[in-house]
Amino acid sequence: MNKRNRKTVYLENKYEYKGVSYPILQGPQGAYVQILNKTLEQLHAAVSIHNRVLVYRFDLHVNYYEKDNQRLSKFINRLKTWISREYSMNHIGYIWVREMEKSKKQHYHVAIFLDGNKIQHPNRIKQYIERTWAVHGHAAYVPKPFYYIDKHNADTKLPETVRRISYLAKVRGKGYRDRQAKDYSASRLNPRLQAMTTTK
C-alpha cells in the first residue's frame, strides 16, 4: 500500500473487512482504502438494519464544471427526502464519489442502500433520478444497476455486491478538483445487531 492525495492506495484484488475477504474492482492504479472502508461500513450497516437490502447504483454527469459538490449534496438530500416520503423509509444509506478524467467536467458514481422489503423494483427511483437530475446533466446508463441482499442469499450476493460497488473506490479519476471539493461522501448509518452474515 502507498499514499496518494493523503489517502492510502490498495493494490490487491481482494480486500478484508471485519475478518471477511471480498473481491474488489480496483483498476490498475488501485483503490483508496478510506473509500473502501466507508462503502463497506455503510453497506454492512444497511444489512444489519434491514431484513432485505436493495443496493442501487447510478452515475450522474453534469453540464458544467463546479469547484464544489453542493449541487450533488442537495440532490442526494432531495432524493433521500423523496424516498423517505414515498416508501415510509427512515434509514437510507449512500456513498458517492467525484471523478474527472479526460472530460473537463466532473461526474459522480453513487450507490444507495435501501429497505428492499418496501421496494419491489427500483424503476420509480430510476425515473425520479433521471427527471430530477436533468436540470444539471444526465443520469448515465449503468449495467446491472441493482442487487437485493437477504439472509437467504447473503453468502453469494454480499460479495457480488461488494465487488460491484468497490469500483467507486478506484484511484483513477480522483484528486482532480479544487481544495473545497471532496472526492467522496457517505451516509452515517449506525449498524444494529448483525442479521445477515457471509462466511466467504
Side-chain angles (χ1 to χ4, degrees):
M1 290 191 284
N2 54 57
K3 293 282 186 178
R4 181 172 176 177
N5 296 322
R6 292 186 289 183
K7 292 191 284 293
T8 304
V9 176
Y10 185 79
L11 296 170
E12 304 297 325
N13 60 10
K14 286 191 175 182
Y15 186 75
E16 186 170 316
Y17 183 79
K18 293 188 175 180
V20 179
S21 181
Y22 294 100
I24 61 171
L25 292 170
Q26 84 280 28
Q29 297 178 23
Y32 284 126
V33 168
Q34 289 83 349
I35 301 178
L36 282 172
N37 285 339
K38 185 56 69 172
T39 302
L40 283 160
E41 172 198 282
Q42 289 303 290
L43 174 59
H44 276 251
V47 165
S48 76
I49 293 169
H50 306 299
N51 292 327
R52 188 175 190 237
V53 177
L54 165 63
V55 178
Y56 185 65
R57 262 276 288 117
F58 57 96
D59 292 346
L60 299 174
H61 291 251
V62 299
N63 292 327
Y64 37 78
Y65 175 80
E66 289 186 313
K67 294 182 178 181
D68 56 37
N69 301 308
Q70 287 189 18
R71 288 185 188 272
L72 188 276
S73 296
K74 290 179 180 177
F75 171 79
I76 293 295
N77 287 334
R78 185 176 177 183
L79 175 61
K80 288 170 57 184
T81 299
W82 180 82
I83 292 173
S84 178
R85 183 180 66 246
E86 291 295 311
Y87 297 99
S88 300
M89 196 179 303
N90 295 321
H91 303 287
I92 299 170
Y94 67 86
I95 176 85
W96 61 255
V97 299
R98 174 188 172 122
E99 295 183 356
M100 190 171 74
E101 298 185 42
K102 294 180 180 179
S103 172
K104 294 182 179 179
K105 299 172 289 188
Q106 77 275 11
H107 63 273
Y108 299 96
H109 300 297
V110 188
I112 53 177
F113 314 126
L114 308 173
D115 185 347
N117 285 324
K118 294 185 176 181
I119 303 173
Q120 299 305 311
H121 192 281
N123 191 54
R124 286 187 64 215
I125 295 174
K126 174 180 179 291
Q127 292 174 349
Y128 178 85
I129 290 169
E130 291 174 343
R131 183 173 67 251
T132 309
W133 186 254
V135 296
H136 307 302
H138 71 278
Y141 169 75
V142 176
K144 199 171 183 181
F146 66 92
Y147 297 82
Y148 282 97
I149 306 168
D150 60 38
K151 64 181 180 180
H152 301 294
N153 67 17
D155 280 352
T156 56
K157 284 299 180 181
L158 189 53
E160 183 181 340
T161 304
V162 169
R163 183 178 185 275
R164 185 73 172 82
I165 63 176
S166 67
Y167 178 80
L168 275 65
K170 74 181 191 302
V171 169
R172 196 187 75 213
K174 297 182 179 67
Y176 306 104
R177 54 179 172 77
D178 290 72
R179 285 188 175 183
Q180 65 267 35
K182 295 180 179 179
D183 280 325
Y184 72 101
S185 185
S187 53
R188 298 180 180 179
L189 292 180
N190 293 315
R192 292 178 182 170
L193 182 64
Q194 196 74 5
M196 287 181 275
T197 60
T198 176
T199 55
K200 294 187 177 182

